[in-house]
Amino acid sequence: MSGNIKQLFNGYLLQLETIVNKVPPELFAVSLTDDMFSLEMNAKIAANFVLRGYYPLLGKEAVSLMSDERGKAAVVRQIIETRELLETLPEIHNLDDSKVITDKAGFSEIQLCQSDFIHQYIASNFFFHMGMVYAIAKSKGVVVSKGDFDGLHSYPAGFSFVKS
C-alpha cells in the first residue's frame, strides 16, 4: 500500500463525497444513538483522518480542515478541500518503520511505526467513520449501496440479497 497511499485516500474521499451528496440536509444532525457522533461529524472526522495520517508520514505536523461551520455544504467543502490539499502533497513511495509516530487515540497516547500507523490506526478510523456515515444514511432510508462505499460494486435498482 505504501506506493498508493495518496491514491487510496483520494479514492475513498471521492466515495465519501458520493455518499454525503446523496444525504438530504436534514439528516446531517442524525446519529445512530444519543451517545454517538452525528452523520455530519462522522463525515468531517473521516475526512480529517486522511490529513491526520498523511502529514506525519511526511515528517510534518498534521493539518485539519475541520471547521465549526455546519451543514451539508460545509461537509462537502471539507472533503473537496481535503482532496485538493492531498493532491499538492508529495507522494510517499515507502513507509519507514524506523520512524515512530505519536498520536492520541481517544484518551490513549499511541506510538506506532509508519506502516502500523497507517494500516492499524488511520485507515481503520477513516473507514469506521465513513461506515458510520453510510449506516446513518442507510438507516434513514437514503438510497446508498455498497457500490457507493467502495466504487466497485453495482446492483440493479431495488435489488436486495435478503428480500426476495
Side-chain angles (χ1 to χ4, degrees):
M1 175 165 104
S2 61
N4 295 313
I5 294 171
K6 186 189 287 191
Q7 181 182 352
L8 178 78
F9 283 150
N10 257 328
Y12 280 106
L13 283 167
L14 281 170
Q15 296 315 124
L16 178 61
E17 185 180 349
T18 296
I19 295 168
V20 165
N21 278 325
K22 291 184 173 192
V23 177
E26 64 271 13
L27 294 182
F28 277 74
V30 173
S31 62
L32 288 178
T33 65
D34 291 341
D35 64 340
M36 294 179 75
F37 286 124
S38 66
L39 183 146
E40 177 176 346
M41 187 55 72
N42 274 293
K44 287 180 171 184
I45 292 169
N48 190 59
F49 261 102
V50 170
L51 300 177
R52 189 171 168 181
Y54 206 81
Y55 269 86
L57 296 177
L58 297 170
K60 298 179 178 183
E61 188 157 336
V63 177
S64 175
L65 299 179
M66 287 179 70
S67 74
D68 292 335
E69 187 181 353
R70 302 188 60 114
K72 183 173 183 168
V75 173
V76 172
R77 186 170 30 263
Q78 181 187 342
I79 295 168
I80 291 169
E81 288 174 359
T82 299
R83 279 197 351 260
E84 290 172 349
L85 179 56
L86 185 62
E87 277 303 311
T88 69
L89 299 175
E91 288 283 344
I92 296 169
H93 298 288
N94 296 299
L95 296 175
D96 183 351
D97 284 346
S98 70
K99 295 180 180 175
V100 173
I101 300 171
T102 301
D103 204 331
K104 294 278 285 182
F107 292 101
S108 299
E109 184 172 298
I110 59 167
Q111 295 183 337
L112 299 167
C113 67
Q114 284 189 345
S115 61
D116 288 346
F117 180 72
I118 288 297
H119 294 106
Q120 294 177 10
Y121 181 60
I122 297 299
S124 66
N125 276 278
F126 174 83
F127 288 119
F128 173 84
H129 290 285
M130 183 176 172
M132 290 295 102
V133 171
Y134 178 90
I136 294 166
K138 191 82 170 171
S139 76
K140 295 301 177 186
V142 178
V143 180
V144 289
S145 72
K146 195 173 187 179
D148 295 315
F149 194 92
D150 71 9
L152 300 171
H153 286 80
S154 65
Y155 302 99
F159 174 81
S160 171
F161 280 111
V162 296
K163 290 184 182 177
S164 303

